[in-house]
Amino acid sequence: MIEPISTTPFGRRSLTFAMLAGQVASQRCEPGASVNKWQVFRAVCEAKKKLGASDRALGVLNALLSFHPETDLVEGEGLVVFPSNAQLSLRAHGMAAATLRRHLAVLVECGLVVRRDSPNGKRYARKDQSGDIRQAFGFDLAPLLARAREFEAMAEAVRGERRALQLLKERITMLRRDISKMLSFGPEEGILTDWQGHRLAYQEIVSQIPRTASHTELEPIAQALAQLAQSVRKVLENHVKTQNPSANESHSERHIQNPQTESHGFEPRAKKAPKQNVRPTPETRKKPSTGYPLGLVLRACPDIAHYARNEVSDWGGLVDAANLVRGALGISPDAWQQACATMGPVEAAISVATMLQRAEQINNPGGYLRSLTEKARAGQFSAGPMLMALLRAAERGQRAKPS
C-alpha cells in the first residue's frame, strides 16, 4: 500500500489556490485512464496562451516528461518523476537553476504538474523489497492525464480561432485587391463619381490594420472594406447597365467568324456595311488623312500583322486587327469607340498599331489612347509623326545588323 504524501510545499513556499486546484485535478483521474504523453503535450503547447504557460516553461515540461519511462501516462502507475535539478537542467538545454525554478513554478500555477515535496525538499523514491516504488517525491504528472480531454478541447478551440483568423485575413486581402483594382479601373474608363472620396475612405480603413491583429480587431475592418467594395462595385455596375447596348454589340462582334461580315467598309469588294460597334460612314470609307500607304504602315508596325485573322491586305483588315489588338493591350471598348468616332477608324487603327509596336514603353495603353483621342478632338494629333519615328528606328536597326 502506498503511503500518503504531504501535498504542502517545502520551505518558504506558501500554499496557493493554484496548487490546491492542481491537486484536486490530479485526483479526478478515471480508473484505468491512459493517454499518450506526447499527444497531450502537443495539445498543451497549442493551448499555451489559454493556460498562461510560456515557451520556456513548456520546455521544462518536455524535460520532465522525458524522465517518465513509458510513452503513455496510465492512472495509478508511477506518475511522479523525481529528477535532480542538475539532471533536469541538462535535459532543459542547460537552463540555469534560478530560471529552472521559476518555470517549474509556472507549470504548478498553470495546473500542469503537482509538487510532491519530501520532508527535506529533495526529490527521490522509496522502494520496497521487491523493487516497486512505495513513495515518490518530485513532480506529479497526474494533471496531464486527468485534464487530457480539457487540454485537447482547448487546443481544438485555438486551432479553430487560428483557421477563422486566417480566413478573415484572406478575405481582407481579396477585398483590398478588389477595391484597389476598381479604384484604378473606374477613373481610367472615365466613369463619373467621387473617386477621390472612395480612395481616401479606402486609405483610412487600411491604415487601421495593425501589424499583428486578433480576429476581434480585424472583423470591423473587414466589414468596412466589404461595404466600401460594395459601394464602388455598384457604381461600376450602374455604368455597365447604361452601356449595355454597345457592350452587347461589341460582344457579338467578337464572336463573328465570317470575314465578309467583319469588314469595316474599307474594302472595294465589300457589298454591304458590317454590323459592329464602329459603323462606317462616307467619311470613314476614304483613305486615312495621313496619306501614307498601307505598306508603309505595315513596315513601320509589323507586329500588328501577327494579330490579324487573315493577311492584312487593305485598310479594313488593319482596322479589324487593331480591334483585336486593343483587347490584348487592355484598351476598353469605350476607349476604342471614342478614338474611332473622333479620329476615324483607320487613324485609330494606325494609332493602336504604333502603340503595339512600342508596348514596352507604354504603361497604360487605355489612358494613352484616350489622351491621343483628346488631342485629335482638339486638332492637335496625327499618327504620321509616330509612323515616321518607327520607320526611322526600324531603318537604324537594319543598318546596325551585321552583314
Side-chain angles (χ1 to χ4, degrees), residues 164-174 211-213 218:
L165 180 60
Q166 181 63 29
L167 290 174
L168 186 58
K169 287 182 177 179
E170 291 177 356
R171 182 188 175 200
I172 289 176
T173 298
M174 290 188 291
R211 297 178 70 91
T212 55
L218 290 180

Side-chain angles (χ1 to χ4, degrees), residues 3 10 15 18 32 34 53 55 64 81 121 131 147 163 194 203 217 223 240 248 252 264 275 286 325 331 360 374 380:
E3 299 178 8
F10 170 79
L15 187 64
S34 67
D55 293 341
L64 286 174
V81 293
R147 302 177 63 189
R163 286 192 296 267
D194 183 15
Q203 292 173 355
E217 293 172 319
Q223 292 178 359
V240 170
N248 288 340
S252 300
H264 291 259
K275 183 180 181 181
K286 299 176 182 178
V325 166
I331 299 173
E360 295 181 355
E374 290 301 318
Q380 301 174 353

Side-chain angles (χ1 to χ4, degrees), residues 27 49 123 127 149 167 177 252 270 281 292 362 369:
Q27 297 171 2
K49 288 187 177 180
R123 301 178 201 131
K127 300 181 180 179
R149 293 181 181 176
L167 290 174
R177 181 186 65 195
S252 300
T281 64
Y292 296 105
I362 301 175
L369 183 60

Side-chain angles (χ1 to χ4, degrees), residues 2 11 50 62 101 157 173 175 256 285 294 314-315 345 392:
I2 299 178
K50 292 183 177 292
N62 180 78
R101 287 193 295 270
T173 298
L175 285 170
I256 295 175
R285 293 178 186 273
L294 177 62
D314 47 45
W315 295 113
R392 288 192 295 269

